[in-house]
Amino acid sequence: MDPVAPGPDPLRRRKVVTVSVIVAVLVLLLGAGAVFALSRTSAPGAGDCVVTSGGPSTAMAVRKIDCGAPEATYRVSAAPCPEGDYLAAGDLCLALDVVAGDCLRPVDHQDASAFHTWPCDQADVRRVTRVQDAADRGACGAGPAHVYAAPPRTVCLDR
């Protein structure tokens, strides 16, 4: 009669499975942490594009956003705010970063008024009629102008 070979040790097998599960969970947690750390945006600085949020009863919040995103309405200028129509958001100076043809909707926050890009077919929007790389309030004629000194820029709006 042939001797029967002993089977795998059930205790050893359980230890291997437990260690494998623990390693897999740790790898997943580390991966999730890395994704979270890489996806977090740092505080906006000069040259970054931002979008504002909040409402009439809340203070304005600013979130860094890709400059190519359609909702990117402002660009951060160097602080302290130079002369011009900058929107102050905490210690940031924001200048409209739009092109002719864009439409903006005024949004009041608890402590400031801002614009959000908005579909042009909606009510209560203001169309950007002209943008020029010079600080010249007269460039807009009688229409509203947002003028910025650094970098020099003028944004003209209808009505």
Side-chain angles (χ1 to χ4, degrees), residues 98-101 127-132 136 138-141 144 146 153-158:
V98 293
V99 296
R127 187 176 297 270
V128 177
T129 58
R130 182 177 183 190
V131 176
Q132 73 176 39
D136 179 13
C140 299
H146 292 264
R153 186 162 206 202
T154 301
V155 176
C156 303
L157 302 176
D158 63 358

Side-chain angles (χ1 to χ4, degrees), residues 62-152:
V62 175
R63 180 175 48 93
K64 185 176 171 181
I65 192 168
D66 179 63
C67 289
E71 62 272 17
T73 310
Y74 290 95
R75 189 173 295 261
V76 178
S77 295
C81 291
E83 185 177 324
D85 298 319
Y86 294 91
L87 175 63
D91 59 349
L92 299 176
C93 298
L94 308 180
L96 282 171
D97 188 38
V98 293
V99 296
D102 283 350
C103 289
L104 305 173
R105 180 174 177 239
V107 178
D108 289 328
H109 299 283
Q110 182 181 39
D111 54 355
S113 291
F115 288 104
H116 289 179
T117 54
W118 212 253
C120 292
D121 62 352
Q122 301 293 310
D124 300 326
V125 296
R126 315 239 356 234
R127 187 176 297 270
V128 177
T129 58
R130 182 177 183 190
V131 176
Q132 73 176 39
D133 292 330
D136 179 13
R137 195 165 301 280
C140 299
H146 292 264
V147 181
Y148 308 101

